[in-house]
């Protein structure tokens, strides 16, 4: 038993001695391997990272192209949904859109300014007190004089003129947008003038023939004529005469008339 016990440590020493050179060489080899090679097995290569980023960028570019194509399709759908003359050719529609981009000529500016004669004629009856106090203002009464006799010649004449202006000018997409806008704005101003007439008609007689009624007529005439002259001035110059609370609704009405 003593010999066997003594032989075991000797064999263990021999085995460790025989394995120690191999372990030493393996440790030397591991020491010679660089750190980047050791981490290469765990960290992905640059080529794989670039491939992943390239695939993600291509996916994002393709998604952007799809979004652009969808937006372009929606624009084409909105343009094609516009109501046009069925007898007109496509080239005619393109020419009409191109003509709207150009500034209006002198003829169309004067034609658009003539549309404001309708509210002008309706507002001259509000200035009876102003004509009596300021004789120079009679010029505003005599300017639309010949047309006023035709306008008030029949009780149906104002209604007929309203439908003619709305159906033949405002809804006519072949005309310049500048002309259609000013025609619709003249109609809206005429409605405002009619509201002044309605308020004046329903005032009590104590107020209508008093100093309060006179000041109300002077205020209505001044506001209506100043607004009409302002719109005519900018229309002749070729600009859109924007009026607060009126021009916004006019823009919507002209836009809606293209789809009706």
């Amino acid at each position: 038993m003593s010999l066997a016990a003594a032989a075991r440590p000797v064999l263990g020493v021999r085995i460790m001695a025989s394995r120690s050179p191999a372990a030493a060489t393996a440790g030397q080899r591991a020491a010679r391997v660089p750190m980047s090679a050791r981490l290469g097995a765990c960290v992905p290569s640059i080529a794989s990272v670039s491939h992943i980023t390239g695939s993600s960028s291509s996916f994002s570019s393709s998604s952007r192209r799809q979004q652009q194509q969808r937006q372009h399709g929606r624009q084409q759908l909105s343009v094609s949904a516009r109501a046009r003359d069925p007898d007109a050719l496509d080239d005619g529609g393109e020419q009409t859109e191109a003509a709207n981009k150009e500034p209006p000529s002198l003829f169309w500016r004067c034609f658009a300014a003539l549309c404001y004669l309708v509210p002008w004629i309706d507002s001259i009856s509000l200035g009876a007190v102003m004509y009596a106090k300021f004789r120079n203002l009679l010029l505003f009464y005599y300017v639309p004089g010949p047309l006023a006799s035709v306008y008030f010649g029949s009780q149906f004449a104002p209604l007929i003129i309203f439908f003619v202006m709305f159906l033949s000018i405002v809804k006519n997409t072949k005309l310049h947008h500048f002309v259609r806008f000013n025609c619709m704005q003249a109609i809206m101003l005429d409605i405002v003038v009619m509201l002044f007439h309605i308020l004046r008609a329903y005032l009590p007689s104590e107020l209508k023939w008093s100093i309060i009624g006179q000041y109300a007529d002077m205020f209505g005439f001044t506001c209506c004529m100043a607004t009409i002259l302002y719109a005519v001035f900018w229309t002749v110059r070729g600009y859109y005469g924007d009026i607060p609370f009126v021009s916004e609704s006019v823009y919507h009405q002209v836009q809606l008339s293209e789809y009706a």
Side-chain angles (χ1 to χ4, degrees), residues 74-95:
R74 291 175 182 174
Q75 291 176 358
Q76 288 182 350
L77 181 61
S78 62
V79 171
S80 62
R82 292 181 180 177
R84 295 181 180 177
D85 188 3
D87 297 331
L89 298 176
D90 294 337
D91 297 337
E94 293 177 358
Q95 292 177 0

Side-chain angles (χ1 to χ4, degrees), residues 45 60 189 206 260:
S45 62
S60 61
L189 289 178
E206 293 82 3

